[in-house]
Amino acid sequence: MQPILGIDLGQTKTKVSIFRNEKVEMVPLCGSIGSIPSSIAFNNEGRILIGNEAYQLGFMQPEQCFASLQTVMHNKDKGIKIHQNQLSLSEIASGYFIGLKREIEYCLDERIDNATISIPQYNNNKEIHWIEEAAKSAGFHVISILREPMAAFIYYLASGILKDDRGLYLIYDFGSEFNVSIVRKNSP
């Protein structure tokens, strides 16, 4: 089985794990064990920066940085001008995933294409499609996109924390947004 990335594309932070050899481990993005800011920026040479590098550039050159990919998604403009170039919102999102893929493959020292992406609960279907297309344009094979509470529920099932065959479960997420989902499990 080929390795699969789990990308948690949060409102403010991104975390990445990898499932390979029957176990899950965190990917140390940009030297960080935990998470990186979901930030994207373009330096003066037009190079894509993500994570801490992008976040820090935002203090010096805020017009070239987005503190969160979600901010880009909710921007109502048709595009943004960066370094005399008009970039569409899709190009910016694609740039984020290109930078993320580059960083992941550098950290792991191998090419990884398969990914499942978890997103905040509030993303609508258009935004989900937009995220999927941006990830695909960066070279990811997107296996699925899950809202965060559902991703948590699947984790609890896979890890054996939920042992009942059936039940009604309240899944809550205390991330940057308070999300609640009610999930019914009908069979094993």
Side-chain angles (χ1 to χ4, degrees):
M1 173 192 257
Q2 290 186 346
I4 301 172
L5 294 171
I7 301 172
D8 179 1
L9 184 63
Q11 172 69 25
T12 57
K13 300 281 186 183
T14 297
K15 298 178 195 105
V16 178
S17 61
I18 184 167
F19 178 76
R20 63 179 167 190
N21 303 324
E22 302 297 319
K23 63 181 181 178
V24 176
E25 52 191 90
M26 294 300 292
V27 177
L29 297 173
C30 304
S32 168
I33 302 283
S35 60
I36 61 169
S38 296
S39 303
I40 180 170
F42 300 85
N43 70 9
N44 289 332
E45 292 78 42
R47 193 173 134 250
I48 299 166
L49 306 175
I50 65 163
N52 293 317
E53 238 184 331
Y55 188 76
Q56 291 168 1
L57 183 65
F59 290 109
M60 297 177 288
Q61 299 170 339
E63 69 283 353
Q64 294 172 210
C65 179
F66 294 92
S68 166
L69 187 60
Q70 299 288 338
T71 304
V72 174
M73 197 170 359
H74 298 299
N75 189 320
K76 301 300 180 203
D77 296 336
K78 298 238 186 256
I80 291 98
K81 194 171 197 172
I82 297 178
H83 301 301
Q84 307 304 319
N85 296 320
Q86 187 72 17
L87 297 176
S88 71
L89 300 179
S90 294
E91 289 172 315
I92 294 168
S94 179
Y96 181 80
F97 280 102
I98 288 169
L100 186 62
K101 190 171 195 315
R102 180 183 64 215
E103 178 66 22
I104 291 166
E105 291 177 349
Y106 175 79
C107 291
L108 297 173
D109 195 29
E110 68 179 289
R111 181 180 168 156
I112 307 286
D113 294 322
N114 296 324
T116 293
I117 303 169
S118 69
I119 57 169
Q121 177 70 30
Y122 58 79
N123 286 129
N124 63 37
N125 289 340
K126 182 179 177 183
E127 293 164 341
I128 292 169
H129 177 73
W130 192 65
I131 290 168
E132 182 175 17
E133 290 304 309
K136 284 180 179 177
S137 72
F140 284 114
H141 172 250
V142 179
I143 294 170
S144 63
I145 294 184
L146 301 168
R147 286 178 163 64
E148 288 169 351
M150 184 55 72
F153 182 71
I154 291 170
Y155 167 77
Y156 292 138
L157 285 175
S159 66
I161 292 171
L162 298 178
K163 301 196 186 306
D164 292 344
D165 289 347
R166 298 171 178 233
L168 192 60
Y169 299 93
L170 176 71
I171 306 294
Y172 55 89
D173 176 6
F174 288 120
S176 58
E177 306 271 326
F178 179 72
N179 298 315
V180 176
S181 294
I182 297 174
V183 180
R184 179 185 309 269
K185 183 176 182 247
N186 292 324
S187 60

